[in-house]
Structures are given as C-alpha cells and as structure tokens.
Amino acid sequence: MEITQFLLAAQSADANIRNEAEANLRQLQQQNLPGFLLSLSVELVNNEKPTESRRLAGIMLKNSLDAKDATTKEDLAKQWLAIDISYKSQVKDLLLRTLASPVPEARHTSAQVIAKIASIEIPQKQWPDLIRSLLNNMTQQDSLAALKQATLETLGYVCEEISHQDLVQDEVNAVLTAVVQGMNLAEHSAEVRLAATRALYNALDFALTNFQNEMERNYIMKVVCETAKSKEVEIRQAAFECLVSIASTYYEVLEPYMQTLFELTSNAVKGDEEAVALQAVEFWSSICDEEIELQEFENPETGDSDSPNYHFIEKARSSLVPMLLETLLKQEEDQDQDDSIWNISMAGGTCLGLVARTVGDEVVPLVMPFVEANIVKSDWRCREAATYAFGSVLEGPTIDKLAPLVHAGFDFLLNAMRDENNHVKDTTAWTLSRIFELLHCPATGFSVISPENLQRILTVLLESIKDAPNVAEKVCGAIYYLAQGYEDAGPSSSLLSPYLTSIIAELLRAADRTDVGGSKLRSAAYETLNEVVRCSNITETSQIIAELLPAIMGRLGQTLELQIVSSDDREKQGDLQASLCGVLQVIIQKFSSTDATKSFILQTADQIMVLFLRVFACRSSTVHEEAMLAIGALAYATGPEFAKYMPEFYQYLQMGLQNSEEYQVCAITVGVVGDVCRALDDKVLPFCDGIMSLLLNALSNSQLNRSVKPPILSCFGDIALAIGVHFEKYVPHALQMMQEAAKACAQLDMEDEELIDYGNQLRSSIFEAYSGILQGFKSARAEVMMPYAQHLLQFIELIFKDNHRDENVTKAAVAVMGDLADALGPNTKLLFKDSSFCNDFMSECLRSDDEQLKETAGWTQGMINRVLVS
C-alpha cells in the first residue's frame, strides 16, 4: 500500500481533507491489518519519506500494539499474535533497520515500537533472536554512534516492558555488559552514554544475580559512580536515578559503597544543578524508605528481622541532617502558590521527615538548633525554613521528646500566622495541621490542646482562614485534624461544641470565596466541614447540624439554576454538586447514628431525595458518584420508607449499573444496591428482575474494569438476604457466575501483587455471596443450595491451602462454612465428614490473635459439630 499521501493528509489543517484521510486509513486498517502494519513500517524505515508522514506512521504502529486501557491492550496483543508470521517478521526486520536511520525521531519511535512488540512476544517465547540482534549492533566495529544510541534506547525500553523472568541469565549478562560498556566515557559520545545510563536504569531489575557477585557488583557501581560525575547534566541526572533505584532494589549490598555515595550525593546537593541535586536527595529518601520498612518487620523485643538493617541513616545522621536543613533555605519565591511544585527545598523537607521516622528521637537535637537560630531572623526564607524543619520532624520522635518543644513553640506558631510573609504563614498553617494530626488525640489520653489554649487556637485559625487562598486552604487542613482529634474522645469531644457554629460559618464563607484562582480552597473547606460534622458530639450539636442541613440543601438547589454556557461551567457545577452531596451524605449518616436524631432526616427525606433526583438529571459522572453515595446513606436512614422513592430512582440505578466506561460510578451503584436491599428487605422484590439482569450482564462484560466484579458478587448475597426464598429463580445464573469466578481465582498469576490483591477480593466476595444466599434460604427452601455445597467446600479447601489468602478471605471462608452447616443442617453431614481439612482450618483460626476470627471460628465449629452428631 502507498500510504504517504493519506498520512500527510491526515495532518492537514483543512478538517474535510483530514477527516477523509483518517477514514481512508481506518478502512485500510480494517480491511487488511497485516498489510497496513507493513506499510506503516515501510514508511517509517524510508529516509526519503517526509518526517511528518513517518512520525504519524510510528504513532499508528504504536497505537496498533498498545493502549492505556488494560482490556484494549490485551485485545491488541491477541490481534498482533494472530497475524501471519511472514508479515510479522517483515515488520520487525524493518523496525530493526530503522534504528540506523539518520533521523532521531524515527529511531526513537522504532525503539518504542520494538519494545511494544517485545512485551507481547517475549513472554510467549517468540522473537528469541531480538536481544542477539540488538547486541550485534553494539559489537560491530562499523556501527555508527546513532545506531548504538538507538539500540541502547531500545534495550532500555524492552527491559521496561518485559519481566525479569522473561530473559535467561546469559541474555541478562550480555545486556548489562553492552549497557555498562556504553556508559564508558573514553569510547562513546554523550548521546550514547546517556542512552546507556537510561537503559541501565530499566535493566537494574534484571541484575539480581550480577549484584550478588562481588566483582560484577563492584564494576557496575564503579561505572555508575563515575558516570554521576560526567560533565553533561542529563547524564549525571540519569546516573543518580540509577543510584536511587539501586538504593531500593539492592539495599542489602550497599554497605561497602556508602562512604563514596555520601560524598557523591553531598557534593550534588550542595553544588550541582537542581535536577541532579533532587535525585541525590531522593537517594537518601529511598534509603529511609527501606529502613522504615525493615523496622516494621523487626521483632520489637530482640530487634531481629529476616533482612539485615544496616542503619545507614543513623550512622550518617550527623552529616546528613545539616545537609538537608541547608536545602530548606533554597525556596522559590512563589512555591507556596502551587502545591505541585517540586524543588530542592521541598525534596529536602520530605527527606528530613523520612529521616525523623527512621531515627526517631535522635533527629530532634540535630534540628532544633537550626529552628531556634532561624525562626527569629528578618529574612523570610530563614523563618519559613525553620518552620518547615519543625513541621517535618513531628512524626517519628516520641511524644515525650516532642511535647515540651511543641508546648514551648505553640504560642510562637500562632503568632506566626500573622507574619508579614505569605510563605511563612502557609508553612506555619501546615505545621499546625501536622501538630493536630500527630499530637492531638484525647481518646488515647494525650493532646497538646487543652481547654485553656483551645479558644486562642480557634481565634487564630478562624481569622487566618480569611487570609490568601493558599494559606486558607492549609488552615482548613488544621481545622480538619483539630476536629478529627476529638472523635471518640468521650467528654473531651464537648470542648469543640461551643465553637461549632463559628467554625461552620467560616468554612462556608471560605467555600464561597471568589478569589481562589487555581487553589483547592473550596473543596478543602467542604472536606473540613464534613470532618467537623462527622466528629462532633451529636448529643450537644444536633441543633446546629439541623440548621446546617437546609443551608446545604439550599446551596445544592442553587447549583441547579446555574447558567451553563461552556464545558468549564459544567465542570464547576459538577464539582460543587459533588462537594454538597458529600456534605449531605455526612449529615445523613450523623443523624442516622442515634435514634434520638434520626427524626431530623425522616422529616426532610422527601425534599432531600427530590434534590438528588434533580442532580442526577444533570448527568455529570462526578455528581453521579457523590449523589449515589448520599442516596445509599439516605436508604440506610429511612429503612423500609425508602420504597416510595424506588419507582423514580430505579432508572438512575439502572443507568449507574450500565455505566461500564466510568467504572467507579458502576461500582458505587452496586454498593448502593446493597444499601437499598438492606433498607427495604423484601420490598425490593419488584425491582429484582431488572437489577439481577443488569448485574449478570455487568459480570459478563469483558470491557468492565475487573475491580467492579467482586462487589457485584457480594451484592448477590445482599439481594438473597433481602428477598429470601424469592431468590430461587436467580440461583442457576448467579451460582454459575460464582463458580466461574472461583475457577478464575485459580488461574490468576500469583507472582503479581496487584493480582494477588484482586484474587483475595474476588474470593472474599464469592464467600460473602454464598453466605447471603445460604442465610436467605435458611428458613425455607435451603435444599436449593444442596447441589452447590460440594463445590463450595472444595473451593474453601483450595483457599485453605493457598498461602496468599489474606485475613478477610480467611474470615469469609470460615463464616460461610458455618452458614453452610447452619442452613443445610444434617444434609451436609457426609460432606463435612469427608472434608478432613475442616479441622485443620478451624484449629488455625482458633489459634489466631484476631478475636473476631476466633469468635467466628468458634461459632462455625459449633455448627459443624451439631451437623456431625445429628
């Protein structure tokens, strides 16, 4: 196919020409995919062709092999694997030839496409000679620098795309040799060395065996450390990125190199370009992360753990902490205006926080002289750095060590909220929020806040919430944690009650501000309002919250009247509605939590529901989620009374369950179906045919994100519990789905942590579904479940033998065994007799430290024993 003209026309400024060309390209792709991909490869390799057509050819090749969406990606991989081998070989050959192109963009695109094909083929044991072909480019005498650069880039991308299990050790050795040699200063140009250093970064995961060999490890470390001193900034940065990765991947072999690494990183932090200095700080943050994790697994009595902790941070602290403190003084003028800014002072403060968590009390004497010396200086940078340092070390040291310092500095911090510099106020508000988050927990008996200083604190905060938007946003955070500390605090929770009216008024005023620009003040104000309501002492504050309810409903009503002219208007309306629905959800839940206050909701439920239904009519997915969650809370609050809303609400329930593209909406709607079932019991029956049909369709939909499938299975249990014997007609379809899901669990790759988590969610939900169905049939028609009992016990036995199961799976499995014995009674006697694993499983659970699990296992044991003696 000659497709150059189409590729050029598809980039035309004239929309008609562009649309026609795109249609032609789509047609060629649909009619003859192998020929189309081959034509794109021919275009990409041909140096006579225009850069524009080659660029689009490369993009289309990539898009034919890869996609962000996991399901589409899988379909594209199957599509590629199905193409005739002669076409695939030609495409791959042309791509490898493109690596020698004089045009950098063509080389770069080809490297990416080769890696995408490798990610599909290498795990299938196809394209066995790829690595060899690439390595030949590095060893041939007459290879040009451009070819070596592109080859190293390709090797890097290939290592990024495939798993370390996909290469044999000889291939790993050869790749590492080529890459490390490519970093050699004497032999290669800067472009080649940069590509080699970046390739090493991606290949480090493959180098486990090499890092276990001292000679090979020494050589790799020597080359990386030398490369970190290159004269080119980009190469130094890439080398430090390798050191960051080595710090987390090969921590246990770093000891011999730490002196050198300290000098390297220290020089970079003090005097190198910021991009390099950031990576040097990140190296120490990675070491902290490793040591924090090692401490979590240490035996508290002996300090022993499976992996050695070399205490690098503790040993380096007296030099490391001063180096980090110096970085805090390198702020940018406007970094307080943008939370996404990442610079050396932010990185230094973050690392200092990790050091505090790693060494605890020992960090305090190293930081406090810096704080005391700088907090009173006239230069705002010094005052801000001192405050940031103090706020950064509040997590890690003991309360005994911190309490006197916080008490001594409290007044100073509150006064600093009136500092002339915006930056200082911003960081002070953040530090106050950290103090309230970490050192204010009356429920455990300790708080830096007392009845004596609470009024002063709130006076300052409610004044400062009127300050610049970025300061006000941080003040919201401080109020959030101040309120949260009083949750479950018994009599202490009353301390906040007298101030609640003022706090709510100021938060609403902050949410209404029009000067916020790009700040997140509005959403912060509403989130804080939610927390203030959630943690308030309901017996003392019910009247205040009752007055808040119509105010929020009024605001939600006003959003429905907004003039929507642009998509930006629509988005702002959606965000505001989401925040307001969130507040209503919290108020509904708060009032539902006691019988004395439930009447507040029952009186206004009709108006609230009308509002939610009007919000649904706006059809914005963000609102959909928040309004759905709030309706779930309303269903719980109103119980059987919710039935009157079902005829009108059902269409939105239907829409939510069908929304497979916005899968979070679908997942939330599934949760609300559960809430509705618990509220209505058998009054939900008229809607069950439709709901079950939608749930079964969603389970069968391969396009639906897999995370929605476990909640759907759990929902079967909720429906069965609600409608009891009426669930019988759904049993064949529901149980078939549950058995298929059980089969799918057995086929998951248990090397992949994400899949292990998903597998555990799936198993728990299968057991929850069985439990709900068995309990639903317990009083009548339990025999309906008899044909499925053996399969269930076999599935439980499989799970019992699986060491990847988590505690939720264990609890759900034990509970469902009890439900099986309880519901089916003597009919299961032979099954339990033949299931010898049951005793071992029960013994394991009864030995557990988890009281809830022990209790469930005791109940299940009793149920099984009752069956066995029947």
Side-chain angles (χ1 to χ4, degrees):
M1 298 177 198
E2 176 55 49
I3 61 170
T4 310
Q5 294 314 312
F6 291 146
L7 290 167
L8 291 172
Q11 300 171 74
S12 165
D14 183 326
N16 292 330
I17 296 174
R18 194 168 64 246
N19 292 340
E20 188 184 347
E22 285 171 358
N24 285 325
L25 288 167
R26 263 197 307 278
Q27 195 178 355
L28 291 172
Q29 187 173 10
Q30 285 158 5
Q31 286 173 349
N32 179 2
L33 180 67
F36 179 67
L37 296 178
L38 185 55
S39 303
L40 292 174
S41 311
V42 168
E43 191 77 22
L44 186 61
V45 78
N46 190 338
N47 292 321
E48 307 297 313
K49 295 288 185 182
T51 308
E52 293 76 13
S53 65
R54 294 175 78 183
R55 182 189 298 126
L56 186 55
I59 291 169
M60 294 191 80
L61 270 170
K62 254 191 306 190
N63 293 345
S64 302
L65 296 159
D66 190 35
K68 281 197 175 86
D69 176 69
T71 312
T72 313
K73 187 183 174 107
E74 206 175 304
D75 292 344
L76 291 172
K78 286 176 186 161
Q79 188 175 274
W80 169 261
L81 291 168
I83 291 173
D84 184 272
I85 193 161
S86 63
Y87 277 101
K88 285 193 291 195
S89 301
Q90 288 178 78
V91 169
K92 291 187 290 194
D93 187 48
L94 290 164
L95 289 168
L96 287 168
R97 278 168 48 197
T98 309
L99 294 177
S101 169
V103 179
E105 198 175 348
R107 297 197 301 270
H108 172 69
T109 302
S110 184
Q112 290 180 312
V113 178
I114 289 168
K116 294 299 176 196
I117 295 175
S119 75
I120 297 169
E121 293 202 353
I122 288 181
Q124 306 285 336
K125 302 287 180 264
Q126 296 179 18
W127 212 356
D129 53 351
L130 169 63
I131 300 294
R132 191 170 61 248
S133 305
L134 292 170
L135 293 173
N136 282 345
N137 293 344
M138 297 305 297
T139 51
Q140 282 169 4
Q141 291 301 311
D142 56 348
S143 284
L144 296 170
L147 174 59
K148 288 187 173 180
Q149 180 270 333
T151 300
L152 287 162
E153 187 177 18
T154 309
L155 283 167
Y157 287 148
V158 169
C159 289
E160 190 178 15
E161 289 284 348
I162 64 175
S163 156
H164 60 89
Q165 290 127 330
D166 292 328
L167 295 185
V168 296
Q169 191 56 43
D170 285 350
E171 288 176 313
V172 173
N173 296 343
V175 168
L176 286 171
T177 302
V179 166
V180 174
Q181 282 175 355
M183 293 165 72
N184 191 322
L185 178 61
E187 284 176 37
H188 295 116
S189 68
E191 291 75 21
V192 171
R193 286 186 294 118
L194 178 60
T197 312
R198 286 177 175 164
L200 178 64
Y201 177 82
N202 286 328
L204 282 168
D205 271 350
F206 293 74
L208 179 63
T209 305
N210 312 82
F211 264 83
Q212 285 166 346
N213 176 316
E214 190 184 353
M215 207 166 79
E216 292 181 39
R217 181 173 71 240
N218 285 342
Y219 182 62
I220 294 171
M221 290 300 290
K222 175 172 170 284
V223 172
V224 176
C225 289
E226 282 169 1
T227 308
K229 297 178 196 164
S230 298
K231 67 176 194 295
E232 298 85 359
V233 176
E234 270 191 295
I235 296 178
R236 292 201 301 279
Q237 182 185 345
F240 272 106
E241 284 171 5
C242 289
L243 289 174
V244 172
S245 178
I246 289 167
S248 55
T249 315
Y250 301 111
Y251 168 88
E252 65 282 355
V253 296
L254 282 183
E255 192 168 34
Y257 317 105
M258 285 309 282
Q259 187 57 44
T260 307
L261 292 169
F262 183 82
E263 286 163 20
L264 256 185
T265 51
S266 178
N267 290 337
V269 171
K270 286 172 183 165
D272 210 328
E273 300 284 335
E274 184 166 75
V276 183
L278 281 170
Q279 292 305 320
V281 172
E282 188 61 29
F283 171 82
W284 290 103
S285 292
S286 290
I287 296 284
C288 288
D289 286 336
E290 291 304 309
E291 296 194 347
I292 289 167
E293 193 175 340
L294 287 165
Q295 285 168 17
E296 282 170 9
F297 290 106
E298 273 174 12
N299 181 323
E301 276 86 53
T302 61
D304 294 340
S305 75
D306 295 340
S307 307
N309 184 341
Y310 290 103
H311 302 285
F312 293 136
I313 300 296
E314 199 180 311
K315 290 170 189 167
R317 70 183 190 277
S318 56
S319 309
L320 177 61
V321 171
M323 174 180 91
L324 294 171
L325 290 169
E326 284 306 306
T327 65
L328 305 189
L329 293 158
K330 298 178 181 175
Q331 308 97 321
E332 287 172 31
E333 284 290 343
D334 56 353
Q335 74 180 43
D336 57 326
Q337 300 295 331
D338 181 359
D339 281 343
S340 65
I341 281 181
W342 186 248
N343 56 30
I344 193 68
S345 75
M346 303 295 292
T350 303
C351 188
L352 185 62
L354 290 168
V355 170
R357 286 175 57 199
T358 311
V359 302
D361 287 356
E362 293 166 0
V363 81
V364 176
L366 296 168
V367 171
M368 285 317 290
F370 175 87
V371 174
E372 286 155 6
N374 285 283
I375 197 85
V376 290
K377 287 189 178 169
S378 57
D379 182 349
W380 73 264
R381 289 178 187 278
C382 298
R383 298 198 303 280
E384 193 277 336
T387 313
Y388 189 22
F390 188 57
S392 296
V393 297
L394 291 170
E395 186 178 5
T398 57
I399 285 176
D400 291 345
K401 192 79 172 173
L402 290 172
L405 300 172
V406 173
H407 281 303
F410 223 154
D411 222 39
F412 204 98
L413 288 167
L414 292 172
N415 286 332
M417 287 305 300
R418 300 192 180 96
D419 196 282
E420 66 208 30
N421 181 274
N422 197 50
H423 212 319
V424 174
K425 288 186 284 192
D426 183 277
T427 304
T428 304
W430 171 79
T431 300
L432 286 169
S433 78
R434 296 262 296 166
I435 289 172
F436 301 152
E437 180 187 2
L438 300 163
L439 298 168
H440 163 51
C441 188
T444 62
F446 177 79
S447 174
V448 293
I449 299 172
S450 62
E452 293 74 43
N453 65 11
L454 179 60
Q455 185 173 2
R456 166 98 203 278
I457 290 166
L458 280 164
T459 304
V460 170
L461 292 178
L462 297 182
E463 189 55 44
S464 299
I465 201 170
K466 299 167 188 160
D467 211 315
N470 60 300
V471 175
E473 189 189 322
K474 302 287 192 311
V475 170
C476 286
I479 296 171
Y480 181 100
Y481 288 114
L482 177 69
Q484 193 181 73
Y486 288 116
E487 186 182 12
D488 304 326
S492 295
S493 66
S494 299
L495 291 175
L496 205 57
S497 301
Y499 305 100
L500 204 68
T501 306
S502 310
I503 294 171
I504 289 172
E506 289 304 338
L507 287 169
L508 289 175
R509 205 167 286 140
D512 288 342
R513 279 172 60 165
T514 53
D515 62 343
V516 295
S519 131
K520 302 188 193 76
L521 176 57
R522 174 183 274 168
S523 58
Y526 279 124
E527 279 171 31
T528 304
L529 179 59
N530 289 347
E531 200 63 4
V532 166
V533 170
R534 196 179 69 77
C535 300
S536 63
N537 183 323
I538 187 71
T539 52
E540 296 173 355
T541 59
S542 59
Q543 204 48 52
I544 300 168
I545 299 169
E547 287 164 20
L548 176 63
L549 178 58
I552 298 295
M553 287 167 65
R555 284 166 178 245
L556 187 55
Q558 284 163 16
T559 67
L560 300 163
E561 313 304 328
L562 289 171
Q563 289 294 309
I564 305 298
V565 180
S566 63
S567 59
D568 193 36
D569 289 344
R570 169 76 62 206
E571 192 181 339
K572 281 181 181 159
Q573 180 197 39
D575 290 345
L576 183 52
Q577 287 176 341
S579 292
L580 292 164
C581 287
V583 180
L584 286 174
Q585 182 193 346
V586 173
I587 294 174
I588 293 165
Q589 287 168 331
K590 191 71 181 174
F591 279 147
S592 314
S593 63
T594 73
D595 289 338
T597 52
K598 211 173 238 184
S599 60
F600 286 117
I601 290 302
L602 298 177
Q603 287 159 15
T604 45
D606 289 1
Q607 296 141 279
I608 295 175
M609 194 65 191
V610 166
L611 266 178
F612 288 151
L613 293 171
R614 287 181 65 201
V615 167
F616 274 130
C618 288
R619 291 277 165 72
S620 157
S621 72
T622 50
V623 163
H624 224 101
E625 291 178 43
E626 305 291 340
M628 263 301 169
L629 287 166
I631 285 176
L634 190 65
Y636 173 80
T638 54
E641 292 296 308
F642 191 82
K644 63 182 171 184
Y645 308 126
M646 278 303 286
E648 203 174 341
F649 173 51
Y650 178 69
Q651 60 172 315
Y652 297 111
L653 210 53
Q654 211 171 1
M655 277 165 52
L657 293 175
Q658 287 170 325
N659 194 344
S660 59
E661 282 184 21
E662 291 164 326
Y663 67 90
Q664 295 95 332
V665 175
C666 187
I668 284 167
T669 310
V670 170
V672 171
V673 169
D675 294 333
V676 168
C677 287
R678 284 185 286 278
L680 297 186
D681 287 330
D682 58 358
K683 284 188 179 174
V684 78
L685 194 56
F687 305 95
C688 282
D689 282 0
I691 289 172
M692 279 302 292
S693 168
L694 289 164
L695 291 175
L696 290 165
N697 285 344
L699 271 182
S700 311
N701 181 353
S702 61
Q703 302 298 308
L704 180 64
N705 186 291
R706 67 178 184 218
S707 66
V708 187
K709 300 196 173 180
I712 292 176
L713 292 167
S714 302
C715 196
F716 288 168
D718 295 329
I719 294 170
L721 263 176
I723 64 173
V725 291
H726 300 291
F727 193 80
E728 184 174 349
K729 63 176 171 179
Y730 309 124
V731 164
H733 298 295
L735 269 287
Q736 184 189 345
M737 287 295 189
M738 286 155 60
Q739 290 180 344
E740 282 173 16
K743 205 187 319 178
C745 288
Q747 291 162 354
L748 291 172
D749 172 11
M750 284 306 176
E751 295 294 322
D752 181 330
E753 278 196 32
E754 266 187 40
L755 284 177
I756 292 173
D757 285 347
Y758 173 66
N760 280 326
Q761 288 166 18
L762 199 54
R763 291 160 171 167
S764 293
S765 65
I766 294 167
F767 292 141
E768 283 165 12
Y770 271 113
S771 279
I773 296 170
L774 286 162
Q775 287 170 35
F777 283 130
K778 182 182 161 186
S779 53
R781 303 289 296 141
E783 63 276 12
V784 170
M785 290 301 289
M786 198 60 214
Y788 305 99
Q790 187 167 5
H791 178 275
L792 173 57
L793 276 174
Q794 285 167 347
F795 182 47
I796 297 170
E797 183 171 9
L798 265 180
I799 302 306
F800 166 61
K801 291 174 179 169
D802 182 356
N803 54 7
H804 288 112
R805 66 180 149 93
D806 64 16
E807 59 206 32
N808 290 336
V809 174
T810 305
K811 281 178 190 168
V814 171
V816 81
M817 284 164 75
D819 288 325
L820 185 66
D822 185 25
L824 299 185
N827 294 335
T828 55
K829 184 173 182 174
L830 284 176
L831 281 177
F832 278 113
K833 241 184 187 150
D834 293 343
S835 301
S836 54
F837 79 92
C838 290
N839 280 334
D840 298 339
F841 199 178
M842 289 302 114
S843 304
E844 178 200 304
C845 297
L846 291 166
R847 286 194 306 271
S848 165
D849 296 335
D850 185 322
E851 288 304 320
Q852 195 189 353
L853 177 58
K854 274 207 290 218
E855 194 182 319
T856 306
W859 174 78
T860 294
Q861 184 90 66
M863 287 298 143
I864 294 173
N865 289 344
R866 199 173 74 186
V867 163
L868 291 175
V869 298
S870 60

